[in-house]
Amino acid sequence: MVGFLTVTGNENCVVFTVEEMMPHVQHLNGAVTKNLFLKDKKKKSLWLVSVRHDRQVNLNDLAKKLGVGSGNLRFADEAAMLEKLKVGQGCATALALFCDKDQSIKFVLDNDLTTGGHERVYFHPMTNAATMGIKPDDLMRFLKETGHEPILYSFE
């Protein structure tokens, strides 16, 4: 069984950036995530990247490491996010991967989120008015159930 913990759930507290969210979740024991929904310019592939909130993401370096080619990863538009993940801007999350029924989104996961000793990893539960924590092992189980084998990447 996957163990979830709802942390915040205030419809008056909608956030669109990690910076807006942090005052509400800084007391939590675990890793808060930021999530980037990207597209590959040449192949038109879609990527979801979940990384610890305080990590820097260099899209050129990431593109090279993933074999996409430098300069070829960019932010996907909201229409693609709505179509594939059923969420809008500010709500992209690994938890929405269950909506990607054809497993067309490639998922990149910050290795620290699974091996960093975090009690829980925190994501939006498909709304940016709440945050949910999940144990790293349960996250991996969830991803497996959705058919999304994560590409583990070190953002250190």
Side-chain angles (χ1 to χ4, degrees):
M1 175 164 177
V2 177
F4 293 104
L5 169 69
T6 301
V7 178
T8 64
N10 182 348
E11 63 188 44
N12 297 322
C13 182
V14 174
V15 296
F16 289 93
T17 66
V18 170
E19 292 76 22
E20 290 178 55
M21 180 176 62
M22 287 314 295
H24 304 285
V25 297
Q26 62 189 356
H27 65 285
L28 299 174
N29 184 16
V32 176
T33 62
K34 65 181 171 186
N35 300 276
L36 309 173
F37 191 60
L38 307 171
K39 68 178 178 178
D40 172 351
K41 178 182 169 187
K42 291 184 178 183
K43 296 180 184 174
K44 307 290 188 232
S45 299
L46 295 172
W47 301 80
L48 180 63
V49 178
S50 292
V51 60
R52 208 172 71 192
H53 81 280
D54 56 353
R55 302 277 200 205
Q56 295 295 318
V57 178
N58 182 311
L59 293 183
N60 285 333
D61 291 346
L62 181 60
K64 284 182 207 172
K65 181 74 173 182
L66 297 173
V68 177
S70 181
N72 286 326
L73 278 181
R74 38 187 85 340
F75 288 95
D77 60 31
E78 188 175 26
M81 192 183 316
L82 285 165
E83 177 188 339
K84 289 301 207 173
L85 295 177
K86 312 299 185 225
V87 296
Q89 182 180 3
C91 300
T93 172
L95 300 176
L97 285 170
F98 80 92
C99 294
D100 180 34
K101 300 293 185 196
D102 62 358
Q103 292 88 29
S104 61
I105 297 172
K106 296 174 182 146
F107 182 57
V108 178
L109 183 64
D110 185 345
N111 192 48
D112 179 75
L113 298 175
T114 61
T115 63
H118 304 291
E119 183 178 316
R120 294 192 183 269
V121 180
Y122 294 92
F123 294 93
H124 287 315
M126 300 189 58
T127 173
N128 53 354
T131 300
M132 256 170 58
I134 184 171
K135 293 178 181 178
D137 288 346
D138 290 337
L139 172 63
M140 297 304 283
R141 220 174 351 266
F142 171 81
L143 293 169
K144 183 178 179 180
E145 287 295 320
T146 68
H148 292 86
E149 183 69 34
I151 300 166
L152 297 175
Y153 184 81
S154 177
F155 288 88
E156 292 183 45

